Amino acid sequence: MKRISKFLFYFILIFLLASCNSQVNKIGNPNANVESLATGKESPKPYVKDVGNVDVLNTHGGVEGIERMQRFYDDMKSGVVSDLRIVSYTIEGDPIVTDLKYNGESLVVKNDNTRDEYGSGEIRTIKCGHLIEEINPTNTTYIATDCKDLPTGMNQILKLEYNMSQQDLFEIDLNYGEKLENEINTKTGEIKKENGTTEPFQMADNVKQELYKRLVFANYLDDKETFTSCDRPNAIKYNLKVYINGGDREISWKDCDESLYGLKFTKIANYIIAQTEQLQTEKPDVIVQGYVLERKDNTLLIGEELNKMDYEWMKDEIKQMDMNSFIFDFTELEGVPIEDYQPGDKIRATIDGSIRGSKPGRAKVKEIKKIN
């Protein structure tokens, strides 16, 4: 029960912080990845008082320096000796430092809790074998595996959440052009063009989910003081206003800004603009992705959006607790050759029609495949 409370706690925390920063969904394309951040540029290293050489800063869902995490993961896959320092803040604002060191063969994880007033006050070093990047439609997690002296042999290093459906409100207003004469506003459902004409526009939910993901990876809630001013004649200006829950966040830049943030947000703006030129599918395919928890009554019980660590602790808990105790969604899939699947298999299924009910929902499968 302690573990369940912890997950509920973090869920509520992320929800509240998104509202205070003033700022899948079951539909969409869950395999649509954010464009590579390998631009040859980096954001400035984060500053944390009394902690030096920080590469990645995780502030309750807002992550600064994610490109360094991705590069470390790529280096490990290539056998390149690397190190990384991650700082994650507790709710009380205390930094927890995680140092990763890869020597070309194995990974050493050092967790330093000495600055956490309510923590163990210890430094613990764990030897692990590998690092995996697990991408789900609404979250991405980096997990150290083959770790000694851990119950599941795994240690969660970093997790990014980008589930648009958990937000009460998510809309955008993009103005762009030499004089900001064009506008795309999903809040009013309109496009205004430089010639003065106005057209209706409704962004599809799967597109909004992908847009939200890209904004989270760009750490859009952070103060972007690192945008580079540029004075190129006829530069395209951008002004992006993001409405999130009860607040908003406004970002302005130009297309000649060659900083990492400038490049990221120009790509995001171009993605938004491109969507106005494409047909927005009103009812895209409903997708279920997750781990098989049980086979019963000719159905597969799926825990949606789980990562490998989530599955390991949930596989036993699910037999003892009501599903409403969990923050995750569950779906029973019908029309599946259940003999082809085992608990622990990760699947992606396209639904025939819609999902009926909840906790668990029930749905007929049109297509299904293993993805692990």
Side-chain angles (χ1 to χ4, degrees), residues 286-300:
V286 178
I287 303 294
V288 169
Q289 180 169 307
Y291 282 86
V292 177
L293 290 167
E294 294 179 357
R295 300 188 309 175
K296 62 177 183 179
D297 301 327
N298 294 317
T299 65
L300 295 179

Side-chain angles (χ1 to χ4, degrees), residues 8-35:
L8 287 170
F9 176 78
Y10 280 115
F11 170 78
I12 294 169
L13 173 65
I14 292 169
F15 178 83
L16 289 174
L17 283 169
S19 301
C20 296
N21 268 307
S22 193
Q23 8 260 242
V24 147
N25 202 334
K26 298 182 189 296
I27 61 178
N29 179 3
N31 288 335
N33 294 324
V34 175
E35 289 186 59

Side-chain angles (χ1 to χ4, degrees), residues 104-282:
E105 295 181 356
S106 62
L107 174 66
V108 174
V109 181
K110 184 172 76 172
N111 293 311
D112 182 350
N113 295 301
T114 57
R115 300 171 182 83
D116 182 4
E117 182 179 356
Y118 299 96
S120 63
E122 298 177 346
I123 298 176
R124 186 180 184 188
T125 301
I126 306 165
K127 187 174 182 179
C128 303
H130 303 282
L131 183 70
I132 63 172
E133 177 191 55
E134 188 162 3
I135 300 174
N136 285 321
T138 61
N139 58 73
T140 294
T141 313
Y142 293 90
I143 302 171
T145 62
D146 303 324
C147 300
K148 295 182 178 179
D149 303 322
L150 292 181
T152 63
M154 291 182 282
N155 186 8
Q156 183 168 296
I157 303 300
L158 183 67
K159 186 174 186 179
L160 286 85
E161 302 269 7
Y162 39 85
N163 190 345
M164 185 193 70
S165 68
Q166 290 181 353
Q167 311 307 322
D168 289 337
L169 174 73
F170 171 63
E171 303 292 347
I172 60 97
D173 183 9
L174 173 67
N175 291 267
Y176 64 98
E178 292 183 27
K179 298 180 180 179
L180 298 176
E181 62 271 21
N182 301 283
E183 181 180 14
I184 301 168
N185 192 326
T186 65
K187 195 173 185 181
T188 62
E190 291 181 330
I191 299 174
K192 296 179 181 178
K193 298 187 177 182
E194 58 183 330
N195 61 8
T197 62
T198 300
E199 299 176 2
F201 174 69
Q202 186 72 34
M203 184 177 283
D205 283 346
N206 61 314
V207 175
K208 289 177 74 173
Q209 170 60 60
E210 173 63 15
L211 173 58
Y212 183 59
K213 176 181 178 179
R214 294 181 182 223
L215 286 167
V216 169
F217 269 81
N219 199 19
Y220 76 103
L221 286 177
D222 187 32
D223 291 330
K224 297 296 182 295
E225 297 178 356
T226 52
F227 275 112
T228 303
S229 60
C230 53
D231 55 2
R232 189 189 71 197
N234 303 320
I236 302 299
K237 299 177 182 177
Y238 298 98
N239 182 269
L240 176 63
K241 196 166 188 177
V242 180
Y243 300 93
I244 183 76
N245 297 328
D248 58 70
R249 179 77 176 91
E250 191 165 1
I251 308 162
S252 298
W253 74 102
K254 297 178 183 179
D255 68 344
C256 54
D257 182 352
E258 293 294 323
S259 69
L260 180 64
Y261 285 128
L263 294 172
K264 284 182 182 180
F265 279 91
T266 297
K267 285 184 177 180
I268 288 172
N270 288 336
Y271 175 76
I272 296 170
I273 294 167
Q275 294 308 312
T276 66
E277 301 169 357
Q278 299 178 20
L279 178 65
Q280 300 292 296
T281 306
E282 292 184 6

